[in-house]
Amino acid sequence: MAPVRGAKKRKRPEKPVPAPAPRLPLPPLPDGSDWWGAFYRRVAGHSSFPREYQTIESVLKMSRKTFDYICSLVKKDLTTKTYGFRNFRFGDKTILDVEDQVAVALIRLTAGESLQNIGIWFGMNHSAISNITWRFIESMEERAICHLKWPSPEEMATIKARFEKIYGLPNCCGAIDTTHILMCSSAQPNSRVWLDNENKNSMVLQAVVDTNMRFRDIVSGWPGSLDDSCILRTSGLYRLCEKGIRLDGHMELPGGSAVREYIVGDSSYPLLPWLMTPYQGQGLPAAKAEFNKRHTAATKVVQTALATLKGRWRVIQGELWRPDKHRLPRIIFVCCLITNIIIDMEGIPSKEMLVSGNHDHGYKQQFSNVADDNAIKQRDDLSHHVAAGE
């Protein structure tokens, strides 16, 4: 039947509006515990939080002592201006203390998860996570710079003694290598300069490390289209060593030959008086084969350091990265800085903390045929020395 014109419509009964979910208090803290344990329970309770992180140490990749030290470095910068971040779970605005801000930034660097995922763990939007992380990066660049520097004469003497004791290479001051930081193909539109020889978009990190895998010199920001030799020649390390400002000390071998201070690198580098590379070819004489054996063992130090760097700081593994090419080198630098801080605070990394294997999966070995005449003689002198002392 048609409705009668002008008749009042019956109102539908309104559905009851559910009451907002109450804010659940954190579980009671055990006696003597504080922020350290409470923070882990806050983030670990989320369903999307990776199960591989069983402790707060495994999340932040450092001890409480190291974490507190880092907080002390950046406290002034992170508290000079107070920021409030909207908590979208409960609709309020939360003021984060220094520990929370540092933890948010460290998890962004260690987990390598997207800003959106990390925002879900903390109940904040992705722009807040990005802002916190970048403020932390800027502060660490300034406040922690003393932890990444070229060795003092006293430190260098210790480094050389360790290289000779462990690998039998006298006057060796470090090991050098490069690794590629992969970038999404859409990160650098309309430019092929970032396309490397393996048809991947990448940025290169060059690093020199000591026997403790502490970073002593790094260069980042160059595109993957440049080879190792080219990146070396554009670096400050190359200019300083060529001018004799670095690696200019000499020692006399038992046979009377003088050997300049040097670092070791693989076959992608030129053979220089301050950079010893291995002999190339098959069927080498015993002395040269012995030198290569020791050289290979020494260069594994930097290879392990770079593999561990990528394993600890997953943000530079390239899996989820859509980088700003101007900011990425600064993030890489701070990852190396914090790695050094962990070594300075906690000592040489244990075997369980190290990542072995190839740090540049999918990349072929490069080769350089450049060899300085004086470097050829020095390498021969070293090979005879190590063979005699075998």
Side-chain angles (χ1 to χ4, degrees), residues 193-212:
V193 69
W194 301 96
L195 199 64
D196 57 39
N197 292 334
E198 304 300 330
N199 204 34
K200 302 174 184 177
N201 286 273
S202 65
M203 182 179 288
V204 178
L205 164 64
Q206 173 186 282
V208 177
V209 306
D210 60 23
T211 52
N212 293 339

Side-chain angles (χ1 to χ4, degrees), residues 26-27 29-30 33-44 56 64:
L26 290 173
L29 296 176
S33 61
D34 52 1
W35 176 93
W36 191 249
F39 176 83
Y40 177 73
R41 289 199 296 278
R42 271 189 284 163
V43 295
I56 186 64
R64 176 66 186 270

Side-chain angles (χ1 to χ4, degrees), residues 172-193:
C172 181
C173 301
I176 186 171
D177 201 359
T178 60
T179 194
H180 292 80
I181 311 299
L182 300 183
M183 305 186 294
C184 294
S185 59
S186 59
Q188 307 299 334
N190 306 319
S191 176
R192 295 183 60 84
V193 69

Side-chain angles (χ1 to χ4, degrees), residues 135-153:
R135 291 178 65 211
F136 173 77
I137 293 291
E138 291 179 318
S139 181
M140 288 296 292
E141 283 181 305
E142 179 180 354
R143 306 294 180 184
I145 186 65
C146 62
H147 288 277
L148 203 165
K149 64 185 188 306
W150 191 251
S152 66

Side-chain angles (χ1 to χ4, degrees), residues 231-262:
I231 291 172
L232 173 69
R233 293 181 184 279
T234 60
S235 67
L237 173 71
Y238 181 87
R239 292 191 295 272
L240 291 171
C241 292
E242 286 294 296
K243 291 179 181 179
I245 299 174
R246 284 186 182 176
L247 300 178
D248 194 39
H250 291 74
M251 73 169 293
E252 185 174 317
L253 297 178
S257 300
V259 174
R260 178 179 171 175
E261 291 178 334
Y262 61 91

